[in-house]
Structure formats: structure tokens, C-alpha cells
Amino acid sequence: MDEHTAPGLAFLGPPGSYSHQCAVERFEDSVWYAAQSAITDVFHAVSAEVPFAVIPQENSTYGSVVDTYDSLRSPEAGQSVFVRGELTLSVKHCLVVRSGVKLEDVRRVMSHEQALGQCSRFLSEHLPGVTRTKVPSTSAAASAVLCCGEGTDEPESAAICSAHCASLFDGLEILRHDIQDEASNTTRFYILAKSLDAPLPGSSKQPRRQRALIRVGNQVKLQREYEPPSTSHSTRIITSTLLTTFGCPPLRIDRRPSLNDIPFDDVYFLEVGDLTLPVTAATIKNCEEEWLQRLQNGVEGINAAGGEATILGVW
Ligand SMILES: O=C(O)C(=O)Cc1ccccc1
């Protein structure tokens, strides 16, 4: 799909990354794809021209994707960029080298930090003492491997990426398949959009909305000089009221340092969802309205208690 007939979707490039694979599986040719060179760039690319994005959020082996939560701390989140959906992808990693290079020749392994973390046992067992170098994406690692080794200033290197990614670059060879530590290795992605409620492209059926991501921080004016982390205001709000605030327990809680430049001032990310709402085609609209009202009430409750809550997305 070209730029004149379809909306743009930003992803962590170059093509061949897991983000790309996941986005193409969901959006096919309903969008044109705008490759970005870092996760924070993907987040900030969301705009009138590129109204959608896909970013990795969490991995079943290695946990939260830090750059994604750091982007969600920014003021644009919940203002001009919203979380509008989730996708999951089964992730099978390969060890990839320039054709002809042997395992014993490899002096450096490059990949996205998530991929290095997801293959940590394999690396310790099969490439002990070999330098592990973080690069912005698995596909950036695959492309970089071609510029390493004999005749260059770079040490002979391997990349961790998917088999599909390896097939996109001439001159690469897969040395090992399935090197992830856990066979069930799965990554969850967020779909981002410029609008909180405009329909997403590519799928005629819009799922009913029953999930949300809420950011809870401190009101800076209420923050005293220095409070030890365990008593910070947002921590107290989270631990004392969370189970009741939205009328359902949170499905996940993440925490990152706030952008307030106050030591140990944290911001929390709560995914909430009520999977018990009885929904039929006839009641879907009412359920959605009730859910949005519950979210709004919860946010007001947190703000009244001295927190600063923002709805970052609903899906
Ligand atoms: O680097 C990529 O390919 C990404 O899309 C990030 C990532 C890395 C490892 C597993 C899942 C997503």
C-alpha cells in the first residue's frame, strides 16, 4: 500500500524485525510501513501522516520492554498517542552469521537487548566469554553482521534474529535455530494510534473495548523535599486503593522512575480490564460506555487522593 492511499504505521526497523513481522500479520496491506531506528522514535512518529504504530511491550521470558514504558511516561502519551490494542507473537530466535563463518570464529553477538536476554542461557553455554552488544533491533543486528569480520575493523560477529529476517539479507547463514531459553517465548505488542477511538485499519470487526492502560504518578506540587520510596504518594495510592479503584483488579502493574527529577519519584502503569462484563451485540455500546465511565471515575478518585492519573489507552 502506498503513502497516498493508506495511513502510515511506524515500527522498529529495518524490515525483518519481530515488530515488523507482527505488524504485517495484523495490518497486511491496509497501511504503509514507516521504519524507525529506535522504539522511542516509533512512539514519537505517531502523527497525522503516520497515525498508527506497533511497539513491543513485554516478553514472556525477559519481561517489560523498558524503552516502551519510558516512552509512555512522556506527556504525549494519553494526549496525542494512545494504546489501542495488543498483539502477541511467538518468538523463535536464530544465531546468524556471514556465510561460511563457524561458531568458534564468533567474537561478538549483536541483537536487541530483549533478544540477548531471551537467549542468555544459550549464549552462556555455547559462546561463553563472547561480547554481547546491544543494537536497536534484531534486523539492525542482521544487517550489521555483514559489515564485520575479515577485511573490516570489526570483530567477527553473529546476530540473533528470526529465520525470516535472515532470509531478507544476502550473504547470511543460520548457524543455529531455536536458541531462545524458553520454547514458549512470546512477545506482546501494543498498537498505538493518534486517536483514542477512530477505527483501526485492516480488520472490519472492531473488538469490544474492555481493557485500559492507566498511568499513575504524583502531583508534583504535593511532593515534599524527599520521601523514601516506600512512602511516595503514588506508591501509597497504588497499594491502598488499587483493588477497588476501577472495580476490578489490575491485570498488570509496571513501574518506572518519573520524569519529575525527584529521587525515587515513580510512575506506575496499570493495565485494567473487566473480562466479566456480559456483552451481547445489543449491549456492546452500553457496556463500552459503562466501562469508560468506570475508568473516568477511577481516574478522578486517584486525582482526588493526590495522585495524577491519565488514561493512556482503551481497547
Ligand atoms: O528487534 C526486534 O526485532 C524487535 O521488534 C524488538 C524485539 C526483540 C526481541 C523480541 C521481540 C521484539
Side-chain angles (χ1 to χ4, degrees):
M1 221 0 120
D2 69 63
E3 294 170 39
H4 305 291
T5 51
L9 179 141
F11 70 97
L12 177 62
S17 66
Y18 291 104
S19 300
H20 188 227
Q21 186 184 336
C22 186
V24 170
E25 276 176 20
R26 163 63 180 79
F27 291 98
E28 299 176 328
D29 62 359
S30 65
V31 294
W32 61 272
Y33 292 89
Q36 308 295 317
S37 45
I39 288 175
T40 47
D41 294 342
V42 175
F43 180 88
H44 290 290
V46 175
S47 59
E49 272 140 59
V50 182
F52 303 103
V54 165
I55 49 171
Q57 173 260 334
E58 174 193 13
N59 175 265
S60 59
T61 312
Y62 198 62
S64 305
V65 179
V66 171
D67 287 343
T68 290
Y69 282 96
D70 284 352
S71 300
L72 290 169
R73 293 184 303 179
S74 71
E76 290 87 351
Q79 290 276 338
S80 54
V81 183
F82 300 92
V83 178
R84 290 291 312 283
E86 61 187 70
L87 302 166
T88 51
L89 183 74
S90 164
V91 171
K92 309 265 179 237
H93 292 301
C94 298
L95 188 73
V96 169
V97 290
R98 286 188 309 122
S99 299
V101 170
K102 304 266 172 299
L103 190 67
E104 52 273 24
D105 301 328
V106 172
R107 296 284 166 271
R108 176 172 73 173
V109 180
M110 296 188 285
S111 202
H112 188 277
E113 71 169 323
Q114 275 277 339
L116 292 168
Q118 292 159 31
C119 302
S120 142
R121 207 163 52 230
F122 172 89
L123 294 175
S124 301
E125 276 169 22
H126 299 275
L127 291 165
V130 167
T131 308
R132 302 177 195 183
T133 301
K134 286 198 284 187
V135 294
S137 70
T138 56
S139 46
S143 131
V145 158
L146 291 168
C147 311
C148 297
E150 228 175 276
T152 75
D153 293 338
E154 299 294 327
E156 197 62 76
S157 302
I160 299 175
C161 63
S162 69
H164 166 69
C165 178
S167 75
L168 298 178
F169 296 88
D170 279 342
L172 290 182
E173 181 184 326
I174 297 176
L175 269 189
R176 295 280 194 285
H177 284 270
D178 274 332
I179 62 167
Q180 64 283 351
D181 292 347
E182 306 296 339
S184 61
N185 193 40
T186 304
T187 297
R188 185 169 182 251
F189 294 80
Y190 278 151
I191 299 170
L192 303 180
K194 173 174 94 46
S195 153
L196 184 57
D197 45 22
L200 299 178
S203 151
S204 50
K205 188 173 164 288
Q206 297 294 326
R208 71 189 151 111
R209 301 202 292 170
Q210 55 186 13
R211 284 205 185 217
L213 180 67
I214 315 286
R215 185 181 61 210
V216 181
N218 289 302
Q219 293 176 10
V220 179
K221 59 181 165 28
L222 290 183
Q223 189 77 16
R224 267 166 270 129
E225 275 284 281
Y226 169 73
E227 288 183 280
S230 59
T231 61
S232 96
H233 210 75
S234 51
T235 309
R236 257 180 284 138
I237 290 169
I238 293 296
T239 50
S240 64
T241 65
L242 203 66
L243 292 181
T244 51
T245 303
F246 296 99
C248 53
L251 301 169
R252 16 174 330 118
I253 304 178
D254 286 86
R255 179 169 68 112
R256 295 289 297 146
S258 80
L259 296 174
N260 292 337
D261 192 23
I262 298 166
F264 304 114
D265 182 58
D266 289 324
V267 61
Y268 288 81
F269 297 91
L270 319 177
E271 236 182 65
V272 290
D274 192 341
L275 309 177
T276 64
L277 293 176
V279 183
T280 64
T283 61
I284 187 165
K285 198 159 185 317
N286 288 349
C287 283
E288 209 172 287
E289 275 164 18
E290 187 202 313
W291 177 233
L292 294 177
Q293 192 55 56
R294 257 163 74 178
L295 293 173
Q296 203 52 53
N297 294 346
V299 161
E300 280 164 20
I302 291 171
N303 293 348
E308 196 168 74
T310 310
I311 300 173
L312 298 188
V314 185
W315 68 100

